[in-house]
Amino acid sequence: MIRERLHCELLLAMVMAMAMAMVEKTSSSLLLLLLFDLFLSICLFAKLDASVDADNAAVERFRSYLVIPSVHPNPNYAPAVEFLLSQAQDIGLDAQTFEFAENKPVLVLTWKGKNPLLPSVLLNSHMDVVPAEKEKWKHDPFAAVLDEKGDIYARGSQDMKCVGMQYLEAVRRLKAKGFKPLRTLHISFVPEEEVGGVNGAEKFVPSEEFKALNVAVVLDEGLASPNETYRVFNGERSPWWLVIRATGAPGHGSKLYDNSALENLIKSLDLISSYRASQFDLIKEGLAAEGEVVSVNPVFLKAGTPTPTGFVMNVQPSEAEAGFDIRLPPLADPVAFDKLIAEEWAPASRNLSFTFKQKVTVRNKKGLPCLTATDSSNPWWLLLKDSITKAGGSIGQPEIFLAATDARFVRDEGIPAFGFSPMANTPILLHDHNEFLNVREYLKGIDVYCEIIETFSSYGGPDDQSKTSSHTEL
Ligand SMILES: CSCC[C@H](NC=O)C(=O)O
Ligand SMILES: [Zn+2]
Ligand SMILES: [Zn+2]
């Protein structure tokens, strides 16, 4: 639009200048004015052209990262690290690579602040992505196809290669305009988030290498928002991956008897299903937000005696198993929940036993829920809100993230962390088929990070009256 208007203005100015120069009646001052207008238009046009080129280059760099298949179950991180290192070199950032587990690199890029003694700002993203069923996608999930609407289709376009690249693009832009941070800024790229972070952030965050970064605040991933308002997360639910196993006497398929493995397991499924409905009702009735209830979803059922064409139909099996993905909100009581599982959902009295494939309890060292403060006691919250607004974005009430992210490890250490992925007007497609992000939202997100980085890294601390009114010790 602006481009077209400038085109018209440019053309008009040129035509008028020529016409008036030819008609001798024109006063020389009017001609000068017109020439000046022409000059201004050319300058503006050149500037706009340069910024369009810069945006296109940023989009191409994003696509280059997306096509690197750092995908589970066996992600090869080397090409991703190599690409990010080349970006760091191009931008002019220091780089360190750590390996807390073999072939699971953690990359930390650093932009040193004018006062490196001040605690730093850390922008985190994970390099790994979940698998994609290629044949069920419109486009190859690792081709980063850019369609005519400006949508980029790729696994990781929302979760969360977008964020990692937006951090880098924002730094690139701030450096180009001559900005110098007061606080040091670190940008970390970690492996293995999608499988719980055991060989990634869980080892990195408690390490000496992390301590040396002297981190004051962390930004990590959030979720897309289908409307204009960005979402922000200050806590997350704890994943408990429960497997219930039932045993019982086998018997003829025609016989009614008590305590068969499947009958016992189905009783558990009934109880769990009612519990699930009660939690879901709270959301449906508007009494709780999604992140405030316990979710429990069956994820596998295993039973029966297989044959080449199906299952034996007249034998009641002697064992059966069911798996559940359970998520506990920060304020749920883990002890009471353990009791519910042991006494009602999987009691030994019904020939049931249970194990956990994952049992995370997001509690800090004092046993309290890890929530980042979102009131005036936390200057980073005020700065985050202000900078998003300043960038022209709107931000919703802080929420509890439904799933788990690496932010839990830093909150656990008592460091404030926000989950934020600047994707407004975007359907939530993480882990889904046809994950995409529109170029417009991607570029808008870079503007937002420019503001955040500028604001966070300029914050002098509690005495910095120009930046915040809060007096919280950092
Ligand atoms: C047990 S940690 C699993 C982490 C994973 N994170 C993103 O999807 C999740 O399922 O929440
Ligand atoms: Zn993610
Ligand atoms: Zn994910």
Side-chain angles (χ1 to χ4, degrees):
M1 275 296 281
I2 306 172
R3 223 175 182 205
E4 274 126 37
R5 260 183 54 193
L6 273 173
H7 258 308
C8 292
E9 197 181 330
L10 196 65
L11 223 84
L12 197 70
M14 276 166 66
V15 170
M16 284 180 73
M18 272 158 43
M20 292 202 173
M22 284 190 291
V23 182
E24 273 175 320
K25 277 178 238 159
T26 312
S27 77
S28 57
S29 61
L30 185 60
L31 187 62
L32 266 175
L33 206 69
L34 276 165
L35 284 172
F36 183 63
D37 186 36
L38 175 67
F39 172 73
L40 271 185
S41 297
I42 291 170
C43 290
L44 262 169
F45 190 62
K47 200 171 160 200
L48 200 73
D49 237 14
S51 105
V52 169
D53 288 347
D55 284 352
N56 288 341
V59 168
E60 286 317 302
R61 285 188 288 266
F62 177 33
R63 293 175 69 201
S64 306
Y65 187 32
L66 289 171
V67 299
I68 300 172
S70 45
V71 56
H72 286 286
N74 290 307
N76 174 8
Y77 293 105
V81 170
E82 195 188 328
F83 169 77
L84 294 166
L85 280 172
S86 74
Q87 294 299 305
Q89 200 172 25
D90 198 27
I91 300 169
L93 294 172
D94 298 332
Q96 303 175 78
T97 314
F98 308 117
E99 239 183 43
F100 300 96
E102 209 186 338
N103 296 326
K104 311 289 179 204
V106 170
L107 175 63
V108 178
L109 307 180
T110 300
W111 190 6
K112 205 164 165 191
K114 286 182 281 184
N115 184 353
L117 295 177
L118 281 173
S120 64
V121 173
L122 175 66
L123 307 177
N124 182 59
S125 69
H126 58 82
M127 295 180 280
D128 54 326
V129 298
V130 289
E133 293 173 76
K134 186 177 170 177
E135 57 292 343
K136 297 191 180 151
W137 282 53
K138 268 198 241 178
H139 305 286
D140 180 341
F142 292 97
V145 169
L146 169 60
D147 76 4
E148 66 291 346
K149 284 194 272 178
D151 294 333
I152 301 174
Y153 283 82
R155 178 56 90 221
S157 54
Q158 293 193 11
D159 179 16
M160 62 172 304
K161 286 180 167 171
C162 49
V163 171
M165 285 308 287
Q166 283 166 321
Y167 295 151
L168 292 181
E169 293 300 335
V171 167
R172 184 187 287 273
R173 215 187 279 170
L174 289 173
K175 275 200 162 219
K177 79 165 193 184
F179 173 75
K180 299 250 184 309
L182 176 66
R183 279 174 199 263
T184 294
L185 181 81
H186 298 292
I187 308 178
S188 52
F189 292 87
V190 297
E192 304 293 275
E193 189 279 339
E194 296 292 5
V195 288
V198 180
N199 285 323
E202 186 168 11
K203 289 198 168 65
F204 173 44
V205 175
S207 72
E208 285 308 312
E209 287 83 347
F210 184 87
K211 274 195 197 86
L213 303 180
N214 190 19
V215 175
V217 63
V218 175
L219 290 188
D220 199 348
E221 67 191 301
L223 283 181
S225 158
N227 56 47
E228 262 301 322
T229 305
Y230 290 132
R231 301 175 73 175
V232 63
F233 301 86
N234 68 323
E236 58 188 54
R237 300 194 298 180
S238 305
W240 285 19
W241 291 346
L242 172 71
V243 177
I244 301 181
R245 189 175 147 76
T247 55
H252 196 282
S254 64
K255 188 173 159 61
L256 288 170
Y257 60 91
D258 284 326
N259 282 323
S260 80
L262 264 173
E263 194 216 357
N264 281 335
L265 186 63
I266 288 167
K267 267 189 200 144
S268 296
L269 286 167
D270 278 347
L271 287 168
I272 293 171
S273 177
S274 311
Y275 181 85
R276 181 185 185 279
S278 72
Q279 295 292 297
F280 200 4
D281 282 347
L282 295 174
I283 301 174
K284 289 179 184 162
E285 288 159 20
L287 298 173
E290 273 183 295
E292 290 167 354
V293 303
V294 176
S295 66
V296 41
N297 289 309
V299 288
F300 75 81
L301 294 169
K302 216 164 90 184
T305 311
T307 67
T309 52
F311 287 91
V312 174
M313 291 302 291
N314 58 357
V315 174
Q316 300 191 47
S318 65
E319 43 190 69
E321 250 180 41
F324 302 88
D325 181 319
I326 304 172
R327 306 284 170 147
L328 297 188
L331 297 180
D333 177 356
V335 178
F337 213 78
D338 259 329
K339 201 160 150 354
L340 176 72
I341 293 171
E343 292 179 5
E344 294 183 36
W345 291 4
S349 59
R350 283 209 313 274
N351 284 341
L352 302 172
S353 59
F354 62 94
T355 51
F356 291 100
K357 292 266 179 217
Q358 278 279 357
K359 192 180 185 201
V360 175
T361 303
V362 183
R363 297 273 148 153
N364 63 19
K365 307 257 172 326
K366 292 181 194 150
L368 298 169
C370 298
L371 286 172
T372 294
T374 51
D375 55 24
S376 58
S377 71
N378 182 0
W380 299 110
W381 166 244
L382 304 178
L383 296 171
L384 181 67
K385 272 200 311 183
D386 286 355
S387 41
I388 292 172
T389 317
K390 204 166 152 204
S394 77
I395 179 171
Q397 287 302 312
E399 298 176 67
I400 302 298
F401 199 80
L402 299 189
T405 74
D406 286 332
R408 70 184 183 278
F409 302 113
V410 284
R411 288 197 191 105
D412 208 23
E413 297 286 328
I415 300 169
F418 298 102
F420 175 67
S421 298
M423 297 180 283
N425 309 304
T426 304
I428 304 167
L429 291 168
L430 76 169
H431 299 205
D432 205 338
H433 301 323
N434 296 317
E435 180 180 351
F436 74 83
L437 180 61
N438 191 276
V439 163
R440 199 182 47 249
E441 285 302 324
Y442 178 71
L443 294 172
K444 228 196 290 173
I446 298 173
D447 297 341
V448 173
Y449 280 123
C450 282
E451 277 302 332
I452 295 175
I453 294 172
E454 206 169 331
T455 308
F456 274 26
S457 64
S458 302
Y459 176 51
D463 297 328
D464 187 350
Q465 293 297 315
S466 67
K467 302 294 184 303
T468 172
S469 55
S470 166
H471 290 268
T472 308
E473 287 300 318
L474 290 181

